[in-house]
Amino acid sequence: MKKSKFLLPLLALGLMFVFTGCMSRFDASKYVDALMHNIYLDDSTAYLEMVDTTATEAHQAYLDGLATESEVFFNYISFDTNYLSDETRQRVIDFYDAVYSHSKFEVEDASKSGDGYTVVVRIYPIDIFEKSADELDAYVDVFVEKITNGDYDNMSEQEMEESYQNGVLAILEAKIDSIDYLDPVEQTVQIKEDTDGLWGMSQEDFQNLDKYVIQY
């Protein structure tokens, strides 16, 4: 499932940081690696060396990324957000916090390209949804069958939806410790300097990286 229409908050945030970096000898490869470590691994060590921001702001970028990814999840997995408790919302955020910790990528050395740099990023897509697909499909089939048979007739819509949400999350959470990766995908990004001498990548390039970190 493509995530583009859900990514605007994360992209806007990402670019807010992307375009604040300024160095006399800019290392585009190190910059891309630092950005991805911050956004996906909550590791701002290298990022803070290159970008004019604070540790608090860098961590907030990571947290906002988790919240945005959670919204992708609610749509992808058909959670009715009208019946989404604060506890379940936090449970999904915690799920993605755990999943993101498995993010795997390699950033190659940058090459000069016109007035900027070209950087190749090799991403190893996390396979948790592919690994869970059969079990999730079977769970949904049984859930629908129970509805048809009247097994949930004594439940409110809230209780029925919560039952569905808990079942889906239990399946996915059980797969976190066995996360593996699909075949790597290489994406090329362009790092360019703006008129103020600040370096960064486009929204489109950032989105092309993001969509492969987790395979939906």
Side-chain angles (χ1 to χ4, degrees):
M1 172 171 288
K2 294 183 178 179
K3 299 190 291 179
S4 57
K5 64 181 179 180
F6 301 102
L7 279 175
L8 291 179
L10 176 58
L11 289 173
L13 179 66
L15 290 173
M16 179 179 71
F17 287 106
V18 167
F19 286 108
T20 57
C22 183
M23 298 180 64
S24 58
R25 298 183 62 185
F26 182 71
D27 187 331
S29 179
K30 181 179 179 181
Y31 175 76
V32 173
D33 188 66
L35 175 65
M36 296 194 69
H37 269 81
N38 189 79
I39 294 296
Y40 299 109
L41 296 173
D42 195 24
D43 176 5
S44 64
T45 305
Y47 196 61
L48 293 175
E49 295 176 357
M50 302 187 72
V51 176
D52 183 18
T53 189
T54 66
T56 298
E57 291 171 331
H59 179 59
Q60 189 60 51
Y62 173 75
L63 295 178
D64 288 351
L66 294 180
T68 300
E69 198 74 49
S70 296
E71 295 299 325
V72 174
F73 174 85
F74 300 145
N75 179 79
Y76 175 77
I77 214 70
S78 298
F79 275 17
D80 187 341
T81 55
N82 292 315
Y83 300 112
L84 190 66
S85 67
D86 290 341
E87 291 77 12
T88 298
R89 187 178 291 275
Q90 185 60 51
R91 186 176 172 187
V92 174
I93 289 175
D94 291 343
F95 165 75
Y96 274 106
D97 184 40
V99 172
Y100 267 17
S101 71
H102 292 268
S103 298
K104 183 178 179 182
F105 48 84
E106 299 165 351
V107 180
E108 296 187 357
D109 291 339
S111 59
K112 198 74 174 68
S113 177
D115 58 353
Y117 298 90
T118 296
V119 180
V120 175
V121 183
R122 186 175 301 104
I123 300 172
Y124 295 79
I126 292 171
D127 72 346
I128 190 166
F129 286 96
E130 181 164 304
K131 189 187 297 291
S132 306
D134 289 344
E135 192 171 349
L136 286 172
D137 285 345
Y139 171 76
V140 171
D141 288 344
V142 170
F143 191 83
V144 171
E145 183 178 356
K146 286 182 176 180
I147 292 175
T148 303
N149 292 338
D151 293 5
Y152 296 122
D153 285 354
N154 293 327
M155 285 187 177
S156 66
E157 290 187 9
Q158 175 82 36
E159 292 170 330
M160 187 168 62
E161 177 65 20
E162 288 178 350
S163 176
Y164 169 73
Q165 293 171 1
N166 287 331
V168 167
L169 286 171
I171 292 170
L172 290 167
E173 289 165 341
K175 299 292 191 296
I176 291 174
D177 290 339
S178 61
I179 279 176
D180 205 344
Y181 306 93
L182 303 177
D183 292 339
V185 177
E186 289 190 354
Q187 289 291 298
T188 300
V189 299
Q190 302 295 321
I191 306 300
K192 296 184 177 181
E193 186 179 17
D194 71 6
T195 55
D196 295 321
L198 306 176
W199 293 88
M201 71 177 72
S202 68
Q203 287 190 351
E204 182 179 0
D205 278 356
F206 185 82
Q207 180 177 324
N208 286 338
L209 296 178
D210 180 78
K211 69 182 180 182
Y212 290 109
V213 174
I214 300 173
Q215 180 64 53
Y216 283 88

